[in-house]
Amino acid sequence: MNEMNSSAGLVPLTRGIPPIETIPSAALADCARELLAKDAGRLFQYAALGGNKGDALLREQLGRQHSCDPEGIFVGNGSLQVLDLLCAELRPNGDFEVVVESPTYDRALGIFRRHGATLLGVPVQPDGMDIEQLEALLTRHRPTLIYTIADFQNPSGVTLSTAKRHRLLALAREHDMIVVEDLPYRALRYHGRSPPSLADLADGARVIGLCSLSKTLSPGLRIGYAMTDAATARSLAHRAENTYLCASPLCQGIAARALSQGLMDVSLAQTRQTLAARHDAAWRVAHRLLGDALMARPDGGYFMSALLPCAFSETQLITRASDRGVALTPGSHFFPPDRVPAQHFFLRIPFQSLGADRLALALEAVVDATGA
């Protein structure tokens, strides 16, 4: 167990931290040594200012990976920081309304709140956001943007269907909304074929991609990036300079070298193989123990989820689970306040670091703790 995940001795059903065996640490260390032997002076200095969008080679490699223009890529210190800068960039002078999936990534919700956003939650179904409810919501509100994790969503694990992607983009065009597509898990598909990204289907809708290398290469490099138009990328760079000057030249250099040498492709293949086996074993365990309470069967990513009937308050349940040896994230943290499920506990199941036997013990303990 990674001690960052939970209190000592508890089985962690909490954070989605990459298993250490999926991080190519030795190869990344080699990249660092090679870089420092050639260019230590530059890498230990500030990056050049004046609208610096990130390491040029890294942006070139990311552009090739995502089939987009490197001039529209801005690199920051992790995708959450990039999202924070995007909110500052996109926030209107008046009301700032943001459509979010309900549930969605809790840390993204925190960023939106800090920027004064009104959160408009749309329920998630097994094939993604409920588009009928989104349509109804848009008759009463004029949101600035839609934030979606369309592939293997955190925390639910669901993937937005191709048909719903088309409908969401049509609504974005009709109502002049910006779509922020968060893509941290898209590359981690274990079964089936990926639907087109929202950016690939945009057809005139404004889609800003948000991604990182945390789940595909190394979270310690703190590489997050936005894929947008060149003007917005420049504006984000200026905001970054006024906030923290620049992202780490050393970390960006290591990432650029790793991508240019094909290291991430090799690492991704190994990661998919490792996590596919854990995913399949976890699904068998979860389906046996939780049955119809499961929201959907994910075909990739880090998470499964369930909505469990519960006879106790959330605080009481988390204490009861801890007494039984399991650490939980409060399910309410993944919802706008008016969308928290009543008399149920939303359970996010991060399967990427747990073996089937350990997961079974944890889920049995949680079910017992619900008292249902």
Side-chain angles (χ1 to χ4, degrees), residues 184-243:
Y185 306 100
R186 181 171 170 82
L188 296 176
R189 174 170 283 277
Y190 314 133
H191 302 293
R193 298 179 61 183
S194 295
S197 70
L198 291 169
D200 289 338
L201 299 173
D203 190 25
R206 186 179 179 191
V207 177
I208 297 176
L210 191 65
C211 200
S212 84
L213 300 184
S214 292
K215 304 300 190 291
T216 55
L217 189 63
S218 163
L221 291 175
R222 307 310 304 134
I223 301 293
Y225 50 99
M227 295 169 285
T228 181
D229 58 274
T232 301
R234 281 194 301 273
S235 185
L236 291 173
H238 287 299
R239 287 185 182 276
E241 287 177 10
N242 290 328
T243 306

Side-chain angles (χ1 to χ4, degrees), residues 296-317:
R297 185 187 191 279
D299 287 321
Y302 273 22
F303 304 107
M304 300 172 186
S305 63
L307 197 58
L308 303 177
C310 185
F312 302 96
S313 72
E314 182 172 87
T315 300
Q316 290 172 321
L317 172 61

Side-chain angles (χ1 to χ4, degrees), residues 155-191:
S156 69
V158 306
T159 291
L160 189 67
S161 69
T162 300
K164 284 190 171 183
R165 290 172 192 242
H166 283 289
R167 293 178 65 191
L168 185 151
L169 290 166
L171 289 170
R173 288 189 292 269
E174 179 183 349
H175 294 272
D176 193 26
M177 295 179 294
I178 301 165
V179 178
V180 176
E181 180 182 21
D182 204 348
L183 299 155
Y185 306 100
R186 181 171 170 82
L188 296 176
R189 174 170 283 277
Y190 314 133
H191 302 293

